[in-house]
Amino acid sequence: MQRDVKRPLGAALACIAGVAVIVYAAYRVGPVERLDLRIFLHFTPEDSFAAAPARLLVHLGDLGPLVLAIAAIVLLGVHFGRRREIVAALAVIVGANLTTQLLKVVLENPRYASRGGTAHPGWSELLPSADAFPSGHTTAVVSVAVALLI
């Protein structure tokens, strides 16, 4: 393997290992589970300072804004004559979002309300579903950002 490929490949593998450690800790280590819940609930209440910006950012990952962003990327690419970059950007967006949907099925894990009463009563309607990780909304927004960089 060439030297210029080893570093990025090693960094990618280190990132994958880091995500695996974080997922394990968030799902299986009590204090980390509770911290995860506290952070999530910080963004949930309507009167929270962070609620409105968080909600706005989350909805950027909805299907409508995603389709608009893809159309804008294609139009920009056509305007600047970057046809190969359009294909690469679309591959990033489609590949990332398909991968996330597959990982949601593979990594599905009951969280919070169903974990033996870990959550506060009445919060179950606010809590993420079992397939909340990885986030499809986050994937959509980040894949568009990476596509724009391309």
Side-chain angles (χ1 to χ4, degrees):
M1 188 178 302
Q2 292 181 358
R3 188 171 196 272
D4 58 337
V5 174
K6 287 183 181 180
R7 272 199 187 139
L9 183 60
L13 292 174
C15 287
I16 291 169
V19 168
V21 167
I22 290 169
V23 169
Y24 178 81
Y27 286 172
R28 300 282 182 245
V29 179
V32 180
E33 281 183 288
R34 289 187 292 278
L35 176 64
D36 181 42
L37 175 62
R38 281 201 332 249
I39 291 169
F40 176 79
L41 292 175
H42 175 75
F43 290 101
T44 304
E46 292 299 321
D47 60 346
S48 166
F49 173 75
R55 208 170 17 264
L56 173 68
L57 290 173
V58 164
H59 289 300
L60 288 175
D62 288 345
L63 184 59
L66 178 61
V67 169
L68 289 174
I70 291 170
I73 289 168
V74 170
L75 290 173
L76 282 169
V78 168
H79 175 75
F80 290 108
R82 305 283 188 156
R83 296 192 191 326
R84 286 190 341 204
E85 286 83 354
I86 293 171
V87 172
L90 293 176
V92 165
I93 293 171
V94 171
N97 286 283
L98 286 176
T99 301
T100 293
Q101 295 309 314
L102 291 172
L103 286 173
K104 280 178 173 284
V105 173
V106 172
L107 299 175
E108 186 175 41
N109 182 48
R111 289 170 69 179
Y112 306 135
S114 61
R115 294 285 296 201
T118 310
H120 187 279
W123 286 352
S124 60
E125 68 276 358
L126 302 174
L127 299 175
S129 64
D131 66 345
F133 178 82
S135 168
H137 286 87
T138 302
T139 301
V141 172
V142 172
S143 68
V144 167
V146 170
L148 285 170
L149 289 173
I150 292 173

